[in-house]
Amino acid sequence: MSADRRRWWRWWPALGVRARAAVAALVASVLAFVVAAPLVGDGVHALLYREAEISAMDAMRNLQARIRDGADGELLGGQPYVALTEDGEWLAGDFLTDHRDDDPALVLTPLRRAKPASGAALPPEPAYPVEAVAVRYPAGLSPYYRLASPAPRTYHFLRTLTEPVSSERLALLVPDGRRPAPEMPEQQLTLYVLIDPTVADETTDVVTGLLLAVVAPFTSLFVALVAWLATGVALRPVESIRRQMAAVRGGAFHERVPVPRARDGIHRLACTTNDTLDRLQQALDEQRRLVADASHELRSPLAVLRSSLEVPLARPDTADWPAVVRGALIDTERLQDLADDLLLLARAERAAERAADGIDGAVDLHDVIAEQLAERQYGEGELTYESELAEAVLAGGELLPGRLVRNLLDNAARHADGRVAVTLTVADGWAQLAVEDDGPGIPAADRERVFERFVRLDDARDRGRGGAGLGLALVRTIAHGLGGTAVAAAPGRLPGARLVVRLPVAGGSR
């Protein structure tokens, strides 16, 4: 690519949208005129040349009539023609130039009608029709002085035979400068009438010149101006969106951009922008709520931890320091679990997006569930775990599905009286995981609320058994991030809680 083209491509993106639209309209208009002007000129030339053909035919008829009526002198004024004798001599003519001496190929040949049989008379009317003939003239020569061309060109003539002309009439046709004429026998003349392209050529040149030199520049500039103005009007909604986004950047997250009525790209841009602002506001609201709830939840264990340390320090001689340390360690572990849950909750959305994009490969969900059930059956003898697992492969890594399964099993184990049932099925491209227990269950009014952050139902308020209220919130966050759902359903096989998670399998129809 040359340096000029590289500079052009660097200059083009620097133009604004309105300038690019105006330049594109200008270039398109110029190209349209460059293509259309010759086509219009050809059309005009064809129309006027057809008129010239009609005029030449009328002149031929008029010329035949004047010869038949015995006209004297000039036969036809203003029309290039010539009358040839049977020997090929120019008997009479006007405006045509004889180039026989310049080029033998330019000889206008006479027509000869076949002789009738012996004793038969010639018919009263000419037996030869009017025909069109083409003669190629070299550069610099033409049959008519007004048609001189610097390039070779073909000219068309109309040609026909007259009826027999007597010697007296032939003598009248000889121009004044050549009289007295020699005696010429009765004969038929060959008439040539030039189809004059002068008007067609001149008009075509004028029309093409006006289109390219006058109409094209002014029209192209007008089109560019209209494109500039129309693009400015079309971009007004974009400017409104920009102003509203500037207000949002200043902290007005409740503001929304105006949505134009036209169902075009700007309409879709405004809708997408408003959807993004809705999600942004929702994320900010959740962040504020998370900070407030986390502050509230952290205050109580920190106060307990502080008091459990301050009291022994006030009476160090009577304190049971191993018990104090064990209690502080338990409280510290709870704080650490709470911090880990908050951190995972903050990172779950982006990690789920990576898993949904398949960045981390694939994971066998049934293997993850089977491993965790084996660990629990080995370490927890007081609960019985039942499972029916179909094979299900999810896109992504093992971290998020593993944490989802762990939180579901932890929740079931915390509330179960003795049994936990796990069912994994696959149908229509979806994997459905159901975890049930035989505990007190979840009231219908609270089945949606249990997935909110830091929500613990009354029977789970005991700090010794209940968690921080983030387990099921993490389950729903991870499920949504993986493209699925998480709900609390009515009891099924067991009378307690029944939590159902649906996730899309890898490569399955959604």
Side-chain angles (χ1 to χ4, degrees), residues 172-412:
L172 295 176
L173 295 177
V174 177
D176 294 338
R178 292 175 53 190
R179 294 178 179 174
E183 288 292 332
M184 289 181 289
E186 178 180 301
Q187 59 184 292
Q188 289 180 282
L189 302 180
T190 301
L191 302 181
Y192 281 86
V193 175
L194 176 67
I195 301 176
D196 189 358
T198 305
V199 176
D201 292 345
E202 293 177 351
T203 306
T204 299
D205 292 341
V206 170
V207 170
T208 305
L210 285 175
L211 286 176
L212 293 178
V214 179
V215 178
F218 287 100
T219 303
S220 299
L221 291 175
F222 176 74
V223 171
L225 178 61
V226 171
W228 171 276
L229 298 175
T231 306
V233 174
L235 290 178
R236 285 179 182 174
V238 178
E239 178 61 21
S240 300
I241 294 175
R242 187 201 64 79
R243 288 195 298 267
Q244 290 298 106
M245 291 301 294
V248 171
R249 185 178 59 185
F253 296 104
H254 63 281
E255 296 286 346
R256 295 295 178 266
V257 301
V259 179
R261 291 180 295 176
R263 301 285 180 170
D264 54 6
I266 298 178
H267 176 90
R268 294 190 294 273
L269 172 63
C271 292
T272 303
T273 302
N274 285 337
D275 291 341
T276 303
L277 291 176
D278 290 339
R279 295 180 61 184
L280 177 61
Q281 185 176 13
Q282 181 180 2
L284 290 174
D285 293 341
E286 291 180 356
Q287 184 180 24
R288 294 189 185 101
R289 186 169 61 253
L290 175 63
V291 171
D293 293 342
S295 300
H296 175 75
E297 292 293 327
L298 288 172
R299 184 178 299 139
S300 296
L302 285 174
V304 172
L305 178 61
R306 180 174 181 175
S307 63
S308 65
L309 295 176
E310 287 179 346
V311 171
L313 284 176
R315 297 179 181 179
D317 297 336
T318 61
D320 184 359
W321 287 108
V324 171
V325 173
R326 283 193 296 271
L329 182 60
I330 292 174
D331 291 335
T332 303
E333 290 177 350
R334 289 177 178 172
L335 288 173
Q336 184 177 1
D337 291 340
L338 179 59
D340 291 342
D341 287 343
L342 290 173
L343 181 61
L344 181 60
L345 191 62
R347 295 178 177 176
E349 183 175 355
R350 175 164 176 78
E353 290 176 356
R354 288 174 53 84
D357 293 336
I359 298 177
D360 298 322
V363 59
D364 295 329
L365 181 60
H366 53 282
D367 288 342
V368 173
I369 299 172
E371 290 176 3
Q372 295 201 24
L373 288 177
E375 292 176 1
R376 292 173 182 273
Q377 288 174 345
Y378 177 77
E380 300 177 6
E382 67 274 10
L383 292 179
T384 300
Y385 290 90
E386 304 171 359
S387 62
E388 294 180 8
L389 306 179
E391 293 186 0
V393 180
L394 306 181
E398 185 178 345
L399 175 63
L400 294 179
R403 186 55 184 266
L404 181 146
V405 172
R406 184 179 302 279
N407 285 10
L408 288 175
L409 294 178
D410 285 344
N411 182 78

